[in-house]
Amino acid sequence: EATLDLAERRRIRSAIRELQRQELERDEETLASKRFRPERNSHRQDNKENWPQSQRLEEEQQAALAALSEQLEAITSVEELTKLLRAAGEYEERKLIRAAIRKLRAEEIEGEAQFSC
């Protein structure tokens, strides 16, 4: 009786392992088919239709950033730049303002080093 029970347990365990292996293979096949699925035509068409608009927006943003950069060159106060930084909403604007603040502070430190020598 005990040997029959152990043999049956072995068969059940091996059947469970086989089912798990088959399930893993199916999951891997599903993932592989999703990874290499071709892009849908409608999505490509949307991109073509929206491209001129997104291109125009990007150009406008670049122009605004260039104007901001020129404006920042004229500012010589870290406090003014800090106020601008707090009011800025876009990441790229904040990035430019932080760079201007670092530049001013570096110039201040460099000026102090020259006076102390």
Side-chain angles (χ1 to χ4, degrees):
E1 240 178 270
T3 55
L4 280 177
D5 188 40
L6 288 177
E8 189 176 349
R9 286 183 184 183
R10 284 188 196 123
R11 282 194 303 272
I12 291 171
R13 285 189 197 123
S14 66
I16 289 173
R17 276 191 234 110
E18 181 62 24
L19 287 172
Q20 289 173 337
R21 185 187 61 75
Q22 289 174 357
E23 186 178 358
L24 282 174
E25 286 176 359
R26 279 193 308 270
D27 290 345
E28 288 173 358
E29 289 172 6
T30 303
L31 283 174
S33 69
K34 286 182 180 178
R35 276 189 208 127
F36 301 110
R37 184 176 294 164
E39 198 172 303
R40 292 190 175 133
N41 290 333
S42 64
H43 180 68
R44 261 188 260 146
Q45 186 64 29
D46 288 345
N47 287 343
K48 286 181 183 177
E49 291 171 359
N50 293 328
W51 186 80
Q53 181 181 4
S54 65
Q55 185 72 19
R56 184 179 47 82
L57 289 174
E58 187 175 325
E59 289 171 357
E60 289 175 1
Q61 183 182 22
Q62 292 298 325
L65 290 175
L68 177 63
S69 182
E70 291 175 12
Q71 179 186 0
L72 294 176
E73 290 291 324
I75 298 174
T76 58
S77 168
V78 174
E79 290 79 22
E80 284 183 55
L81 289 173
T82 305
K83 287 178 187 176
L84 281 175
L85 180 63
R86 289 187 180 129
E90 295 293 320
Y91 170 77
E92 293 295 328
E93 291 175 357
R94 293 192 307 268
K95 185 176 168 182
L96 283 174
I97 296 169
R98 279 193 225 97
I101 291 172
R102 283 193 296 273
K103 182 180 173 186
L104 271 179
R105 288 185 178 155
E107 289 172 358
E108 288 175 0
I109 291 170
E110 191 176 297
E112 291 173 3
Q114 289 178 353
F115 284 125
S116 65
C117 289

mmCIF file of all heavy atoms in Angstrom, residues 61-75 81 84 88 90 92-97 100:
data_model
loop_
_atom_site.group_PDB
_atom_site.id
_atom_site.type_symbol
_atom_site.label_atom_id
_atom_site.label_comp_id
_atom_site.label_asym_id
_atom_site.label_seq_id
_atom_site.Cartn_x
_atom_site.Cartn_y
_atom_site.Cartn_z
ATOM 1 N N GLN A 61 8.822 76.051 -28.732
ATOM 2 C CA GLN A 61 9.455 75.866 -27.434
ATOM 3 C C GLN A 61 10.945 76.202 -27.512
ATOM 4 O O GLN A 61 11.481 76.856 -26.618
ATOM 5 C CB GLN A 61 9.264 74.431 -26.949
ATOM 6 C CG GLN A 61 9.828 74.198 -25.565
ATOM 7 C CD GLN A 61 9.676 72.753 -25.117
ATOM 8 O OE1 GLN A 61 9.538 71.853 -25.938
ATOM 9 N NE2 GLN A 61 9.707 72.536 -23.824
ATOM 10 N N GLN A 62 11.608 75.786 -28.583
ATOM 11 C CA GLN A 62 13.025 76.097 -28.759
ATOM 12 C C GLN A 62 13.245 77.604 -28.865
ATOM 13 O O GLN A 62 14.196 78.143 -28.304
ATOM 14 C CB GLN A 62 13.591 75.389 -29.998
ATOM 15 C CG GLN A 62 13.674 73.886 -29.867
ATOM 16 C CD GLN A 62 14.600 73.449 -28.744
ATOM 17 O OE1 GLN A 62 15.608 74.074 -28.486
ATOM 18 N NE2 GLN A 62 14.217 72.386 -28.070
ATOM 19 N N ALA A 63 12.355 78.289 -29.575
ATOM 20 C CA ALA A 63 12.467 79.745 -29.702
ATOM 21 C C ALA A 63 12.275 80.425 -28.349
ATOM 22 O O ALA A 63 13.003 81.360 -27.997
ATOM 23 C CB ALA A 63 11.449 80.266 -30.710
ATOM 24 N N ALA A 64 11.297 79.936 -27.564
ATOM 25 C CA ALA A 64 11.050 80.499 -26.238
ATOM 26 C C ALA A 64 12.249 80.270 -25.323
ATOM 27 O O ALA A 64 12.635 81.164 -24.553
ATOM 28 C CB ALA A 64 9.788 79.889 -25.635
ATOM 29 N N LEU A 65 12.852 79.099 -25.409
ATOM 30 C CA LEU A 65 14.021 78.808 -24.589
ATOM 31 C C LEU A 65 15.213 79.671 -24.993
ATOM 32 O O LEU A 65 15.985 80.122 -24.131
ATOM 33 C CB LEU A 65 14.381 77.325 -24.671
ATOM 34 C CG LEU A 65 13.409 76.364 -23.999
ATOM 35 C CD1 LEU A 65 13.818 74.925 -24.270
ATOM 36 C CD2 LEU A 65 13.314 76.627 -22.511
ATOM 37 N N ALA A 66 15.364 79.926 -26.276
ATOM 38 C CA ALA A 66 16.451 80.796 -26.732
ATOM 39 C C ALA A 66 16.249 82.217 -26.215
ATOM 40 O O ALA A 66 17.205 82.865 -25.766
ATOM 41 C CB ALA A 66 16.526 80.779 -28.253
ATOM 42 N N ALA A 67 15.009 82.707 -26.263
ATOM 43 C CA ALA A 67 14.711 84.047 -25.740
ATOM 44 C C ALA A 67 14.972 84.097 -24.239
ATOM 45 O O ALA A 67 15.536 85.077 -23.725
ATOM 46 C CB ALA A 67 13.262 84.411 -26.052
ATOM 47 N N LEU A 68 14.586 83.057 -23.523
ATOM 48 C CA LEU A 68 14.821 83.001 -22.084
ATOM 49 C C LEU A 68 16.310 82.995 -21.788
ATOM 50 O O LEU A 68 16.777 83.669 -20.863
ATOM 51 C CB LEU A 68 14.158 81.763 -21.479
ATOM 52 C CG LEU A 68 14.388 81.533 -19.983
ATOM 53 C CD1 LEU A 68 13.793 82.659 -19.159
ATOM 54 C CD2 LEU A 68 13.831 80.195 -19.550
ATOM 55 N N SER A 69 17.067 82.273 -22.571
ATOM 56 C CA SER A 69 18.513 82.209 -22.380
ATOM 57 C C SER A 69 19.141 83.593 -22.527
ATOM 58 O O SER A 69 20.002 83.981 -21.731
ATOM 59 C CB SER A 69 19.118 81.231 -23.381
ATOM 60 O OG SER A 69 20.504 81.129 -23.188
ATOM 61 N N GLU A 70 18.710 84.352 -23.542
ATOM 62 C CA GLU A 70 19.209 85.713 -23.721
ATOM 63 C C GLU A 70 18.823 86.599 -22.540
ATOM 64 O O GLU A 70 19.613 87.430 -22.087
ATOM 65 C CB GLU A 70 18.682 86.296 -25.029
ATOM 66 C CG GLU A 70 19.269 85.645 -26.255
ATOM 67 C CD GLU A 70 18.641 86.156 -27.542
ATOM 68 O OE1 GLU A 70 17.916 87.177 -27.494
ATOM 69 O OE2 GLU A 70 18.882 85.538 -28.586
ATOM 70 N N GLN A 71 17.596 86.428 -22.066
ATOM 71 C CA GLN A 71 17.113 87.207 -20.919
ATOM 72 C C GLN A 71 17.943 86.883 -19.676
ATOM 73 O O GLN A 71 18.288 87.776 -18.902
ATOM 74 C CB GLN A 71 15.638 86.900 -20.674
ATOM 75 C CG GLN A 71 15.029 87.632 -19.501
ATOM 76 C CD GLN A 71 13.602 87.178 -19.207
ATOM 77 O OE1 GLN A 71 13.067 86.303 -19.886
ATOM 78 N NE2 GLN A 71 12.994 87.773 -18.209
ATOM 79 N N LEU A 72 18.288 85.622 -19.490
ATOM 80 C CA LEU A 72 19.058 85.207 -18.315
ATOM 81 C C LEU A 72 20.469 85.777 -18.346
ATOM 82 O O LEU A 72 21.054 86.053 -17.292
ATOM 83 C CB LEU A 72 19.106 83.681 -18.219
ATOM 84 C CG LEU A 72 17.773 82.984 -17.953
ATOM 85 C CD1 LEU A 72 17.960 81.481 -17.979
ATOM 86 C CD2 LEU A 72 17.177 83.436 -16.630
ATOM 87 N N GLU A 73 21.040 85.954 -19.536
ATOM 88 C CA GLU A 73 22.376 86.515 -19.664
ATOM 89 C C GLU A 73 22.426 87.937 -19.115
ATOM 90 O O GLU A 73 23.445 88.373 -18.586
ATOM 91 C CB GLU A 73 22.825 86.515 -21.134
ATOM 92 C CG GLU A 73 23.100 85.144 -21.691
ATOM 93 C CD GLU A 73 24.325 84.485 -21.095
ATOM 94 O OE1 GLU A 73 25.309 85.197 -20.809
ATOM 95 O OE2 GLU A 73 24.291 83.259 -20.902
ATOM 96 N N ALA A 74 21.309 88.673 -19.229
ATOM 97 C CA ALA A 74 21.267 90.063 -18.779
ATOM 98 C C ALA A 74 21.091 90.180 -17.264
ATOM 99 O O ALA A 74 21.424 91.212 -16.687
ATOM 100 C CB ALA A 74 20.146 90.794 -19.493
ATOM 101 N N ILE A 75 20.597 89.143 -16.622
ATOM 102 C CA ILE A 75 20.343 89.192 -15.174
ATOM 103 C C ILE A 75 21.641 88.887 -14.426
ATOM 104 O O ILE A 75 22.318 87.901 -14.706
ATOM 105 C CB ILE A 75 19.232 88.197 -14.777
ATOM 106 C CG1 ILE A 75 17.929 88.564 -15.474
ATOM 107 C CG2 ILE A 75 19.043 88.171 -13.266
ATOM 108 C CD1 ILE A 75 16.809 87.566 -15.255
ATOM 109 N N LEU A 81 17.154 85.519 -10.294
ATOM 110 C CA LEU A 81 17.114 84.209 -10.945
ATOM 111 C C LEU A 81 16.340 83.198 -10.110
ATOM 112 O O LEU A 81 15.599 82.367 -10.637
ATOM 113 C CB LEU A 81 18.528 83.708 -11.226
ATOM 114 C CG LEU A 81 19.291 84.445 -12.324
ATOM 115 C CD1 LEU A 81 20.732 83.971 -12.380
ATOM 116 C CD2 LEU A 81 18.614 84.263 -13.659
ATOM 117 N N LEU A 84 12.708 83.791 -10.631
ATOM 118 C CA LEU A 84 12.314 83.221 -11.914
ATOM 119 C C LEU A 84 12.201 81.697 -11.838
ATOM 120 O O LEU A 84 11.284 81.100 -12.415
ATOM 121 C CB LEU A 84 13.323 83.592 -12.996
ATOM 122 C CG LEU A 84 13.232 84.978 -13.600
ATOM 123 C CD1 LEU A 84 14.388 85.213 -14.565
ATOM 124 C CD2 LEU A 84 11.916 85.159 -14.325
ATOM 125 N N ALA A 88 8.942 79.457 -12.751
ATOM 126 C CA ALA A 88 9.002 78.673 -13.992
ATOM 127 C C ALA A 88 8.184 77.395 -13.859
ATOM 128 O O ALA A 88 8.163 76.757 -12.814
ATOM 129 C CB ALA A 88 10.448 78.344 -14.331
ATOM 130 N N GLU A 90 8.023 74.939 -16.731
ATOM 131 C CA GLU A 90 8.564 73.885 -17.579
ATOM 132 C C GLU A 90 9.933 73.423 -17.101
ATOM 133 O O GLU A 90 10.740 74.219 -16.610
ATOM 134 C CB GLU A 90 8.691 74.364 -19.029
ATOM 135 C CG GLU A 90 7.369 74.662 -19.684
ATOM 136 C CD GLU A 90 6.537 73.414 -19.893
ATOM 137 O OE1 GLU A 90 7.106 72.372 -20.258
ATOM 138 O OE2 GLU A 90 5.319 73.488 -19.674
ATOM 139 N N GLU A 92 12.544 72.442 -18.878
ATOM 140 C CA GLU A 92 13.652 73.034 -19.642
ATOM 141 C C GLU A 92 13.942 74.455 -19.181
ATOM 142 O O GLU A 92 15.097 74.877 -19.131
ATOM 143 C CB GLU A 92 13.348 73.003 -21.147
ATOM 144 C CG GLU A 92 13.301 71.607 -21.733
ATOM 145 C CD GLU A 92 14.637 70.892 -21.680
ATOM 146 O OE1 GLU A 92 15.683 71.540 -21.776
ATOM 147 O OE2 GLU A 92 14.623 69.655 -21.540
ATOM 148 N N GLU A 93 12.898 75.210 -18.836
ATOM 149 C CA GLU A 93 13.097 76.567 -18.321
ATOM 150 C C GLU A 93 13.862 76.526 -17.006
ATOM 151 O O GLU A 93 14.815 77.285 -16.803
ATOM 152 C CB GLU A 93 11.752 77.260 -18.101
ATOM 153 C CG GLU A 93 10.998 77.588 -19.360
ATOM 154 C CD GLU A 93 9.619 78.158 -19.073
ATOM 155 O OE1 GLU A 93 9.230 78.250 -17.888
ATOM 156 O OE2 GLU A 93 8.923 78.506 -20.038
ATOM 157 N N ARG A 94 13.422 75.660 -16.111
ATOM 158 C CA ARG A 94 14.101 75.540 -14.807
ATOM 159 C C ARG A 94 15.548 75.120 -14.982
ATOM 160 O O ARG A 94 16.436 75.595 -14.281
ATOM 161 C CB ARG A 94 13.346 74.549 -13.918
ATOM 162 C CG ARG A 94 11.972 75.039 -13.507
ATOM 163 C CD ARG A 94 11.348 74.196 -12.403
ATOM 164 N NE ARG A 94 11.321 72.776 -12.698
ATOM 165 C CZ ARG A 94 10.315 72.133 -13.279
ATOM 166 N NH1 ARG A 94 9.244 72.807 -13.649
ATOM 167 N NH2 ARG A 94 10.361 70.846 -13.497
ATOM 168 N N LYS A 95 15.776 74.245 -15.942
ATOM 169 C CA LYS A 95 17.128 73.768 -16.214
ATOM 170 C C LYS A 95 18.034 74.929 -16.640
ATOM 171 O O LYS A 95 19.167 75.061 -16.149
ATOM 172 C CB LYS A 95 17.053 72.708 -17.318
ATOM 173 C CG LYS A 95 18.331 72.022 -17.656
ATOM 174 C CD LYS A 95 18.038 70.944 -18.698
ATOM 175 C CE LYS A 95 19.290 70.411 -19.311
ATOM 176 N NZ LYS A 95 19.021 69.418 -20.344
ATOM 177 N N LEU A 96 17.537 75.783 -17.546
ATOM 178 C CA LEU A 96 18.306 76.942 -17.992
ATOM 179 C C LEU A 96 18.570 77.916 -16.848
ATOM 180 O O LEU A 96 19.674 78.454 -16.707
ATOM 181 C CB LEU A 96 17.575 77.673 -19.120
ATOM 182 C CG LEU A 96 17.638 77.052 -20.498
ATOM 183 C CD1 LEU A 96 16.752 77.817 -21.465
ATOM 184 C CD2 LEU A 96 19.071 77.038 -21.006
ATOM 185 N N ILE A 97 17.556 78.159 -16.036
ATOM 186 C CA ILE A 97 17.700 79.098 -14.916
ATOM 187 C C ILE A 97 18.706 78.565 -13.904
ATOM 188 O O ILE A 97 19.556 79.311 -13.398
ATOM 189 C CB ILE A 97 16.329 79.389 -14.270
ATOM 190 C CG1 ILE A 97 15.416 80.088 -15.290
ATOM 191 C CG2 ILE A 97 16.492 80.237 -13.021
ATOM 192 C CD1 ILE A 97 13.967 80.190 -14.859
ATOM 193 N N ALA A 100 22.116 79.178 -15.168
ATOM 194 C CA ALA A 100 22.491 80.587 -15.033
ATOM 195 C C ALA A 100 22.881 80.909 -13.589
ATOM 196 O O ALA A 100 23.842 81.656 -13.341
ATOM 197 C CB ALA A 100 21.346 81.484 -15.487
#
